[in-house]
Amino acid sequence: MKQTDWKIVYTSYTGAEKHAVNLLSKETGRNLIRKKGEYRLHVLPCEKEGCQVPVNGFFVGCYNESKVIKNYVKADEVPENGYLVKVIKNPDNEEGRFVILTAHSKEEVFYAAVSFLDDYVPQHAPRFAVNPMPDWLYDKPLPECSYTEVSDNKTRSIFTWGHSTNNFREYIDNMARQKFNELVLWNDYIPVNIEDIIDYAHSYGIKVVLGYSWGWKEIAKKATSITPGEIEKVKELSIAEYVNNYSAINCDGIYFQSFTERKDNTIEQGKIAKVVTDMVNDIAAKLWEITPDLRIIFGLHASSVRNELDIIEKVNPRMEILWEDCGDLPYNYETTIESEETFAEAIEFTKKLLNLRGGKGVGLAFKGVMMLNWDNFIYQPGPYVMGENSPEIADHDRAVRTKAWKIYSAEWLKSGKYAHEMFKVIKENKLGEVNMCMAGTFDGGIYFPVALCAQMFRNCDEDYQKIVENVMRRECVNVE
C-alpha cells in the first residue's frame, strides 16, 4: 500500500532552499499524490517548520536555522562545506520515516535534495523479480541510510555562448541539478534580458561571469603582423566596452579572451606571451580604477604560450587565468585520447599550471564534450533575448544532436577514465582552489558525459566505474 501521508517541512522558502522544496514536491509528488487511473486534485503538503510533525516527512533546511533537524542530527554529522542526507525511523511511529536534507548553506541544502532524488532513490529501488522499480519505493518504509558529500572543488563552472541557449531557466535548472555553481557566458552582444538571467542563476547560488573579446574577435586570427597601433586599439575598445555595456550589470565578474588562440608563439613585436601579458595587465589596471573589486578572468589558450610560462607568471595576480587547449583529453575536442604519451604530457603540463603564480587564480577548461559544429556556427548579429525560444526550436535543436550525444556517451564510457585520472591529479597537486570548467553547448537536457564530468568535479575519490554506475542510474540523465 503506497504511503500517502508524506509532508515536506522546510525551514526557509527562499533562494536555493525554495528550489529544493519545489524539486522535492515535483519529483516525489508523482509517486505520492496520484493513484493510477484516478483523477485526484491533491498536491503534496509543504509547511514551514513549527507545523505538526508528520508520520512521513522530508525535513529541508540549513542546520543552524532548524530546531527540528537538530533533534535528529548531531552538529558533527553535517560537513562544513557539504551536505547530509539522512533517512531514519520516525521515533514515534515504527512505520514512519524522516528524510533529513541539511547543510550549512542554502546551496548545499539544494544539493542534498538533488542527491536524495538522483542517488538515494535509484540505489534503493525495490526489485520485483529482477526488475528495479524506483516508482514503487514509497510503497513500503524507506530503507534507513546516512551519507555526506563534500566537494573537491569550490568552483565548478560551465562556459557557453548565450545565443546557443534556447531556454535559460531550464539550462540553469539543469546546471544546478548537476551541482555546477558558476556560468561563464560569452556574448558578442549582451542579451537584453541579462538581468533576468542573472537573477534566476543567483536564486540557485550560481554566479554569472560575462565574457567578451579583448582582441579575440579583432586580431586573434591575423598573421604575425599585429601592430602596436592595433594593440592600443584593442585596449581602447575593451575598456570602452566594459564602461558602456558591463559596468552597471549585476554580474559576478567578467571573462575575456585575447589573441592567444593560435599555434605560433611569436608576432613581429615579440613573444605572444609577453605582448598579451603587457596588454591585459594594462586593460585590467584601468578597469580596476573604475570598479576596484571587479573580478577578471583571463581565458588563455595554452597553444601559443605553453613554452613561456615564466612570462605568463607576470600576469597580474589579481586576475584569474582560465586555461584551455592544454593538450589531450579532456582538454581537447576529441572524446578519445590521442595516445598514452600525449595524455601523460597533458598531465605534466597541468602540474606546471597548478604551480604557476603560487597556485593562485587557476582555472582549467575542458572541451571534451563541446557538442559544437564550428562549420555551421553563426555569430550573433546583434542584441537579442536570450533563452526564450519557442519549444519548437528547442525540440529541433535537441533532435539534431541526439545521435551525436549517443556516440559521445559511448565514447565517454570508455575514455572517461582518463578524465577521472586527470581530475585526481588536479586534486592531489593543486596548491589552492581550481576553477573546474566544462566548455560547450549543453542546451536541451542533462547529458551523460556532462553529468559524469560534473560528478567527478564534485568528487573523484570513488572508483571510475562506480561513478559511471551512479550517474547512469539517475533518471534525469539522458543516456542517448
Side-chain angles (χ1 to χ4, degrees):
M1 178 65 181
K2 188 181 293 294
Q3 298 170 324
T4 58
D5 50 3
W6 281 84
K7 180 193 292 186
I8 298 174
V9 180
Y10 61 87
T11 305
S12 172
Y13 192 65
T14 60
E17 285 179 287
K18 176 179 179 179
H19 288 297
V21 172
N22 291 351
L23 185 64
L24 280 170
S25 179
K26 175 184 176 182
E27 301 237 345
T28 64
R30 62 186 177 179
N31 293 320
L32 294 172
I33 62 177
R34 290 295 182 269
K35 187 175 181 180
K36 188 174 181 179
E38 293 185 8
Y39 181 52
R40 292 181 169 185
L41 301 179
H42 170 54
V43 178
L44 192 66
C46 299
E47 295 189 56
K48 189 174 177 64
E49 186 173 303
C51 63
Q52 181 177 352
V53 176
V55 174
N56 290 286
F58 298 97
F59 295 89
V60 185
C62 290
Y63 182 76
N64 290 330
E65 299 174 6
S66 174
K67 294 180 180 179
V68 174
I69 289 175
K70 287 180 179 179
N71 290 333
Y72 309 111
V73 174
K74 297 178 181 178
D76 60 4
E77 293 182 74
V78 186
E80 185 61 33
N81 297 305
Y83 61 77
L84 168 71
V85 174
K86 188 173 185 178
V87 182
I88 62 173
K89 290 180 181 178
N90 180 337
D92 299 319
N93 189 316
E94 186 73 14
E95 294 298 308
R97 291 292 183 270
F98 290 167
V99 177
I100 300 166
L101 308 171
T102 190
H104 291 295
S105 71
K106 293 178 181 291
E107 294 76 27
E108 292 291 337
V109 169
F110 176 78
Y111 299 152
V114 166
S115 180
F116 173 78
L117 295 167
D118 290 347
D119 298 322
Y120 175 92
V121 170
Q123 288 177 24
H124 292 86
R127 288 182 178 268
F128 293 83
V130 295
N131 299 319
M133 302 293 290
D135 288 346
W136 294 1
L137 177 65
Y138 298 95
D139 287 7
K140 295 181 179 180
L142 300 183
E144 294 181 80
C145 182
S146 180
Y147 64 90
T148 62
E149 183 185 71
V150 177
S151 181
D152 292 338
N153 300 288
K154 182 178 179 181
T155 303
R156 305 169 302 279
S157 64
I158 282 179
F159 170 97
T160 197
W161 294 261
H163 69 284
S164 71
T165 304
N166 286 317
N167 184 326
F168 80 80
R169 294 176 189 84
E170 178 187 66
Y171 193 98
I172 291 169
D173 291 343
N174 290 340
M175 278 189 65
R177 188 149 188 173
Q178 295 173 92
K179 303 172 189 167
F180 288 107
N181 60 3
E182 183 165 286
L183 175 60
V184 181
L185 197 60
W186 182 273
N187 284 291
D188 295 313
Y189 298 91
I190 297 175
V192 297
N193 61 334
I194 190 63
E195 295 290 358
D196 294 339
I197 295 158
I198 292 172
D199 287 346
Y200 193 69
H202 283 176
S203 73
Y204 276 108
I206 294 174
K207 295 179 180 179
V208 179
V209 175
L210 299 180
Y212 70 98
S213 172
W214 289 15
W216 184 89
K217 181 168 59 176
E218 296 83 3
I219 58 176
K221 304 302 180 184
K222 288 195 67 176
T224 59
S225 58
I226 299 173
T227 67
E230 287 173 316
I231 296 292
E232 290 303 314
K233 187 65 174 177
V234 167
K235 291 181 185 179
E236 293 173 12
L237 290 173
S238 302
I239 295 166
E241 179 73 5
Y242 175 75
V243 171
N244 295 331
N245 295 316
Y246 289 88
S247 59
I249 297 175
N250 182 35
C251 62
D252 300 288
I254 61 170
Y255 164 95
F256 70 89
Q257 293 183 13
S258 194
F259 53 89
T260 57
E261 191 174 13
R262 49 199 299 149
K263 293 182 179 180
D264 54 333
N265 67 351
T266 305
I267 55 178
E268 288 182 1
Q269 287 178 264
K271 294 289 187 181
I272 288 174
K274 175 68 165 63
V275 179
V276 78
T277 296
D278 291 346
M279 186 190 80
V280 302
N281 281 346
D282 288 348
I283 297 172
K286 292 292 185 183
L287 297 191
W288 283 321
E289 289 178 8
I290 300 165
T291 309
D293 60 349
L294 178 64
R295 180 185 175 201
I296 301 177
I297 303 176
F298 180 3
L300 179 52
H301 302 82
S303 51
S304 61
V305 302
R306 64 183 300 126
N307 296 320
E308 287 82 35
L309 295 185
D310 58 321
I311 300 175
I312 298 300
E313 184 94 39
K314 298 172 185 176
V315 170
N316 191 303
R318 289 188 58 189
M319 214 180 316
E320 299 171 39
I321 299 178
L322 182 55
W323 289 89
E324 58 181 285
D325 295 345
C326 297
D328 211 336
L329 183 143
Y331 289 109
N332 62 14
Y333 289 111
E334 301 300 324
T335 54
T336 57
I337 64 166
E338 182 179 340
S339 68
E340 294 289 346
E341 291 75 18
T342 56
F343 179 70
E345 290 172 4
I347 284 181
E348 291 309 309
F349 186 66
T350 298
K351 291 178 180 178
K352 292 180 181 179
L353 299 183
L354 295 173
N355 282 277
L356 197 66
R357 305 194 304 163
K360 296 179 180 179
V362 183
L364 302 169
F366 306 105
K367 298 179 177 180
V369 289
M370 180 62 73
M371 188 53 70
L372 184 65
N373 183 352
W374 283 112
D375 292 336
N376 294 328
F377 189 87
I378 297 175
Y379 292 94
Q380 180 61 31
Y384 67 107
V385 177
M386 176 183 152
E388 295 281 11
N389 287 340
S390 70
E392 290 79 8
I393 289 177
D395 290 344
H396 169 272
D397 291 353
R398 187 182 301 110
V400 166
R401 299 185 295 173
T402 293
K403 292 181 180 179
W405 275 118
K406 185 172 184 177
I407 295 171
Y408 261 14
S409 294
E411 291 174 345
W412 266 87
L413 277 171
K414 178 180 179 180
S415 300
K417 63 183 181 181
Y418 292 101
H420 182 246
E421 182 178 346
M422 178 67 75
F423 300 157
K424 290 184 73 173
V425 167
I426 293 167
K427 178 180 178 179
E428 292 165 1
N429 289 273
K430 65 182 181 179
L431 302 180
E433 290 295 337
V434 176
N435 179 352
M436 301 288 281
C437 179
M438 295 299 303
T441 55
F442 310 131
D443 184 70
I446 296 177
Y447 299 97
F448 169 73
V450 185
L452 177 64
C453 286
Q455 183 57 44
M456 291 191 290
F457 281 3
R458 182 80 184 179
N459 193 323
C460 63
D461 286 339
E462 284 190 307
D463 175 75
Y464 173 68
Q465 291 301 325
K466 182 64 176 178
I467 295 172
V468 167
E469 180 183 347
N470 290 341
V471 172
M472 290 192 74
R473 279 195 183 118
R474 297 172 182 170
E475 186 176 351
C476 65
V477 174
N478 295 325
V479 185
E480 297 289 2

